Amino acid sequence: MIDNVTFGGFVRTLRKEKQMTQLELAKILNLSDKTISKWEQGKAFPDIAVWEALAEALDVTVAELFAGEKLPKEEGKVSAAVFEDGIAVAANEVRQKKKRYRGLLMIMAALLVVVAGLGIGKSLKERFGEHGCNYS
């Protein structure tokens, strides 16, 4: 596994070769330029879901990102393809988990609204009685 500093230097080199700013790369990936800066300084590592898009933006393979260097085209084509398939599967799993958590959050929000509504209804019932306001 590549370390943060080597990875960050490789990303910086590739980005500069493409004459791209951190902000431009960040926009392509739907991230902040501060995130790219943290990668390049070796202070952070990208989420696995970003690797495929990052590789595409920098015109390298995911295997090359993982290695921290450009690989000879003939060397390891099969292993690179298998590796990239594994990354794609892992990224898809991350996306699926996010969808599940989003659904769970929506259900919890709906339950909160129902419980709050019941509490307000009970409070109004206690204040005004069974039949609502009596103005007589």
Side-chain angles (χ1 to χ4, degrees):
M1 176 85 180
I2 188 172
D3 65 274
N4 291 10
V5 175
T6 304
F7 174 83
F10 186 52
V11 169
R12 180 185 306 109
T13 300
L14 294 170
R15 177 182 58 77
K16 288 185 175 184
E17 283 175 4
K18 294 189 64 61
Q19 299 179 343
M20 212 186 304
T21 65
Q22 289 179 343
L23 184 59
E24 290 168 334
L25 180 57
K27 284 182 180 181
I28 292 169
L29 301 173
N30 294 318
L31 299 169
S32 73
D33 57 332
K34 290 180 182 181
T35 298
I36 306 301
S37 176
K38 286 179 183 177
W39 295 349
E40 291 184 359
Q41 294 175 43
K43 293 181 179 179
F45 213 63
D47 187 89
I48 195 161
V50 178
W51 282 65
E52 195 172 358
L54 178 61
E56 186 176 320
L58 297 174
D59 289 329
V60 293
T61 65
V62 174
E64 288 173 314
L65 278 179
F66 194 72
E69 63 184 4
K70 290 189 178 180
L71 301 173
K73 297 298 176 192
E74 296 79 34
E75 188 177 309
K77 279 188 178 179
V78 174
S79 62
V82 169
F83 177 79
E84 287 176 349
D85 286 345
I87 291 293
V89 168
N92 189 43
E93 286 179 22
V94 169
R95 284 187 212 103
Q96 294 300 321
K97 283 183 182 179
K98 284 183 179 180
K99 284 182 184 176
R100 274 184 257 148
Y101 286 127
R102 213 175 291 133
L104 191 60
L105 185 60
M106 296 295 273
I107 290 170
M108 289 173 36
L111 286 173
L112 181 62
V113 168
V114 169
V115 169
L118 290 174
I120 290 171
K122 183 178 178 185
S123 174
L124 290 174
K125 191 183 245 184
E126 288 172 355
R127 185 169 185 185
F128 297 110
E130 280 292 319
H131 305 290
C133 294
N134 189 356
Y135 293 108
S136 48

